[in-house]
Amino acid sequence: MVLAGFAFSNTQAQKNYDRAVGLRGGPGTGITYKQFTSDNIALEGIVTMRWNGFIATGLYEIHRDDLNVQGMDWYYGVGAHAGVWNNDDDDEHSGTLIGADAIIGIEYTFKEIPINVSLDWKPAINLIYGNDFWGDSGALSIRYVF
């Protein structure tokens, strides 16, 4: 309900770019692509490498400019992930997983250069292959904006 209240509030972000692609660094490192579908709604795709495998994540994000700093937004959203990994030492801890994700973060887009920097926390829960909660998926992303 809290997310719904934020989503229908009058304050909305004015997008600072249309789309961006870049690198994501954190416990899982990889690439990120974000595209706005309206002034305050973005879709983000993330592919990260972790545990001798990869995880692909899709997110629906709502951006807000409540911080009153030009070029800076905060955002939150939800999504899903799917991935595979291989633990060479233990076949029991290798496999395929599918789960749900949330995200909350802050980002800044430079006016002078086409660069966007974001810092986020992306907790996730695996729904297939265990009910593991992952709370360690924070990351710093640096993107080239279009």
Side-chain angles (χ1 to χ4, degrees), residues 13-65:
Q14 295 297 316
K15 66 182 176 179
N16 296 306
Y17 58 93
D18 289 321
R19 58 190 182 277
V21 63
L23 301 175
R24 180 176 174 86
T29 59
I31 58 172
T32 171
Y33 175 80
K34 186 182 284 195
Q35 181 158 348
F36 278 85
T37 60
S38 69
D39 281 349
N40 70 320
I41 303 296
L43 301 177
E44 183 172 8
I46 301 168
V47 176
T48 54
M49 306 299 284
R50 193 171 185 184
W51 300 303
N52 295 324
F54 75 92
I55 300 169
T57 304
L59 297 163
Y60 175 90
E61 299 173 350
I62 299 168
H63 284 245
R64 301 179 48 90
D65 66 356

Side-chain angles (χ1 to χ4, degrees), residues 89-141:
D89 298 328
D90 184 358
D91 286 338
E92 184 178 325
H93 292 100
S94 298
T96 302
L97 57 91
I98 297 174
D101 297 73
I103 192 166
I104 185 165
I106 188 168
E107 72 175 22
Y108 181 77
T109 305
F110 292 91
K111 183 177 180 182
E112 302 80 19
I113 57 175
I115 299 294
N116 167 274
V117 178
S118 69
L119 183 64
D120 66 58
W121 180 52
K122 190 182 73 57
I125 187 165
N126 292 323
L127 303 173
I128 295 179
Y129 196 82
N131 292 324
D132 299 332
F133 173 76
W134 294 341
D136 68 344
S137 294
L140 173 69
S141 296

